[in-house]
Amino acid sequence: MTFDTKAIKPAKIKAETLKTSLTQPVTLYPALVGFLGGAATMFFGVGGATLGALVGGAVLALGGWSWEYFAKGGAHANRYIERYRKALEVQRKQAIAHLNTELSKLNADDAIQQLQLFQKKFEIFNQVLNRKLQSTELTYNRYLAMAEQVYLNGLDNLEGVSLSLQSVSAIDRAAIESKLQRMDGVVSAEAERTREQLRGRLQLFDEQMQRVRSLYAENEEALTKLDQVSARLANTDFSSGRAAMDMEQAIKELTTLIENSQQYAQKK
């Protein structure tokens, strides 16, 4: 699953808004006229028509860009975040369908429970957000996109759990330990080689189980953070001057959680 916490940071949103405003017809077409006027001036000299096209196109392009960036910038930014969030939503639904099947096959009850908790807590966050903000607001889509990312990160961890459990699903730890006990005292090169292979499988099994426990613990932290942010959102008075600052801090905490998890995953 691919997602980037930088995608909904203010600097990225501003850059995307600028890019969108520069490619709107009211900006692009006058700029093209001005460019052609400038090119004609270079080749044919200054004339009324060419100068008019150059100056007029530049003025109209600047006016069109100002309108798109300053007057309609909020709408452009909101549409960008909404597109990004909907792309995350598609990924999330695909991941859930896949994980439900795979985890059921592995009888991974703890993983299934976490999957259900992520769904429940995300729905609660969404419900609280809908009570506090309008869905057409930029802030609404930013918060929801970040919650989507936390959710996807949790699903990514559960995918790791699924793969780890599947990789050692054919290893019967109890049977291996029993066989090692029966071989206790047997002295031969063949017996020693067999013991070495059996211990190697036990070590592999234990390493994968440790990875599974680490992924579960990481998800528990994410679930707790979703609860905390939901509660903070519910208690935020958006008529207060501190509301934006308080919620921005909450979003930063979620961002840090995701980025730390991604860095940890890259090291494993």
Side-chain angles (χ1 to χ4, degrees), residues 41-205:
T41 300
M42 291 177 61
F43 286 107
F44 306 110
V46 178
T50 57
L51 186 61
L54 172 62
V55 175
V59 170
L60 288 174
L62 181 60
W65 171 78
S66 298
W67 170 257
E68 292 292 339
Y69 186 76
F70 294 106
K72 298 178 64 178
H76 290 318
N78 198 37
R79 280 194 291 271
Y80 159 70
I81 292 296
E82 190 173 7
R83 287 194 303 271
Y84 180 75
R85 182 177 60 76
K86 287 183 177 179
L88 292 180
E89 184 178 359
V90 171
Q91 286 186 299
R92 174 169 56 83
K93 290 180 178 180
Q94 291 173 344
I96 290 172
H98 170 72
L99 283 170
N100 271 322
T101 301
E102 294 301 315
L103 295 175
S104 296
K105 290 179 182 176
L106 293 165
N107 295 316
D109 294 338
D110 289 341
I112 293 171
Q113 183 181 34
Q114 282 195 343
L115 183 61
Q116 293 170 345
L117 281 173
F118 270 110
Q119 177 68 32
K120 182 177 181 179
K121 292 178 188 298
F122 178 76
E123 288 176 354
I124 290 173
F125 180 89
N126 201 354
Q127 289 168 6
V128 173
L129 192 61
N130 282 321
R131 293 277 297 274
K132 303 293 288 190
L133 295 169
Q134 296 294 321
S135 61
T136 54
E137 294 182 56
L138 175 60
T139 304
Y140 173 95
N141 278 308
R142 278 194 70 218
Y143 294 168
L144 194 55
M146 183 56 72
E148 288 271 11
Q149 289 184 334
V150 173
Y151 196 165
L152 273 170
N153 196 69
L155 298 183
D156 217 20
N157 285 342
L158 291 178
E159 174 69 13
V161 167
S162 175
L163 290 172
S164 292
L165 292 176
Q166 191 172 20
S167 70
V168 294
S169 59
I171 297 178
D172 188 334
R173 200 181 200 289
I176 292 174
E177 289 178 334
S178 178
K179 187 171 183 178
L180 283 171
Q181 287 180 348
R182 292 195 304 271
M183 294 181 66
D184 191 31
V186 178
V187 180
S188 69
E190 292 77 9
E192 184 57 34
R193 190 163 63 247
T194 299
R195 278 193 287 265
E196 183 180 347
Q197 296 304 314
L198 292 173
R199 289 172 186 142
R201 293 209 290 274
L202 284 180
Q203 181 180 354
L204 176 62
F205 183 88

